[in-house]
């Protein structure tokens, strides 16, 4: 059975955040760069439910995991130069 394909804006919706392009960009810019020593789910800007969702998505290698990894990279993009 094929898993549903998720989209980046759906991850933001799942996290209870603005999920339009402007809202996503604004959120990422507000919290970038995230130190490489901090796991995404442990970042101080998440509430408890958001943090738990991100931890679970990665722990269970859920269909959200790829998007969570992409989000993590987006917060660290400025450090990759």
């Amino acid at each position: 059975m094929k898993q549903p394909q998720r989209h980046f804006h759906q991850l933001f919706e799942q996290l209870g955040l603005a999920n339009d392009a402007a809202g996503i960009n604004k959120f990422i810019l507000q919290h970038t760069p995230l130190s490489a020593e901090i796991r995404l789910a442990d970042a101080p800007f998440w509430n408890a439910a958001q943090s738990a969702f991100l931890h679970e998505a990665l722990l269970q290698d859920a269909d959200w995991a790829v998007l969570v990894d992409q989000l993590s990279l987006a917060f660290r993009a400025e450090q990759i130069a």
Side-chain angles (χ1 to χ4, degrees):
M1 185 178 220
K2 189 175 180 180
Q3 290 190 359
Q5 182 177 1
R6 304 280 186 185
H7 300 278
F8 208 55
H9 72 275
Q10 291 173 310
L11 176 60
F12 275 74
E13 182 179 358
Q14 184 70 24
L15 291 167
L17 301 169
N19 66 345
D20 62 327
I24 291 169
N25 289 333
K26 181 180 178 183
F27 187 82
I28 292 171
L29 287 174
Q30 284 177 333
H31 302 291
T32 300
L34 181 62
S35 171
E37 290 81 35
I38 299 174
R39 293 186 309 170
L40 178 65
D42 296 333
F45 48 82
W46 302 120
N47 66 35
Q50 291 167 327
S51 178
F53 172 79
L54 295 168
H55 274 293
E56 283 297 311
L58 293 173
L59 182 67
Q60 296 179 1
D61 198 24
D63 55 334
W64 293 108
V66 171
L67 293 172
V68 172
D69 286 339
Q70 290 175 356
L71 181 58
S72 181
L73 288 173
F75 283 116
R76 300 165 206 283
E78 289 185 9
Q79 297 179 0
I80 298 176

